[in-house]
Amino acid sequence: MAIPGLTILAATLLCGLLGGCVTSGGTASSDDDVDGVAAGEPTVMQQTYMTMDKRCRPVKRPTGVLTEPPRHGQVRMVSRRGKAQYGPGDHQHCDGRIGPSLGFEYTSRGNYRGPDSFGVRVRYNDGEIRHARFKVEVY
């Protein structure tokens, strides 16, 4: 039988050992960010996901699952190099370090113009799970 307080403490300690972060193409991202993409052109979204240990060494990149497909295109998961952006916390000293990251490549239908979106679930090696929603403007 698990003890709730002890389980939470163990999970917190485990998550602190390996830091999962969200990266982007040089700018901080927020839930309100919209990626602009050309119709029919494969485009990797600005926000990517990576993990580093406390010595800023990359560890196995997270995995992802599409939880809500886009209505007007398709998405595939891709590996790419990303720049860490941890912000305040015990991994902040790793900000700016480069490592393998998980990205999402969106391609709209060639004749579509307008807004689209999709949802993903990202799982880090330490078991941490994050959900994200990507907003896209197809021009």
Side-chain angles (χ1 to χ4, degrees):
M1 179 169 88
I3 302 169
L6 188 56
T7 303
I8 292 170
L9 176 61
T12 302
L13 290 173
L14 181 60
C15 289
L17 291 176
L18 295 174
C21 76
V22 176
T23 68
S24 69
T27 60
S29 60
S30 74
D31 291 338
D32 294 332
D33 284 348
V34 176
D35 282 284
V37 302
E41 294 293 321
T43 305
V44 177
M45 303 290 95
Q46 289 293 312
Q47 183 173 306
T48 64
Y49 300 85
M50 70 186 312
T51 305
M52 291 185 168
D53 65 17
K54 288 193 179 205
R55 293 176 63 192
C56 304
R57 295 177 302 195
V59 295
K60 184 179 174 192
R61 77 169 174 82
T63 59
V65 175
L66 188 63
T67 58
E68 183 184 333
R71 295 183 73 190
H72 306 286
Q74 60 186 4
V75 173
R76 72 181 188 106
M77 283 155 252
V78 295
S79 292
R80 65 180 299 182
R81 307 277 298 158
K83 187 183 289 189
Q85 293 182 333
Y86 284 96
D90 62 350
H91 278 74
Q92 185 172 8
H93 63 281
C94 296
D95 284 355
R97 300 287 178 100
I98 304 294
S101 66
L102 170 66
F104 296 92
E105 181 184 82
Y106 171 85
T107 307
S108 75
R109 289 194 310 266
N111 61 348
Y112 178 75
R113 306 291 187 278
D116 204 357
S117 64
F118 61 94
V120 299
R121 181 179 65 234
V122 175
R123 177 183 288 274
Y124 292 92
N125 277 350
D126 63 4
E128 177 184 358
I129 294 176
R130 293 192 186 176
H131 295 270
R133 181 162 197 71
F134 289 82
K135 298 176 186 174
V136 179
E137 186 64 36
V138 182
Y139 54 89

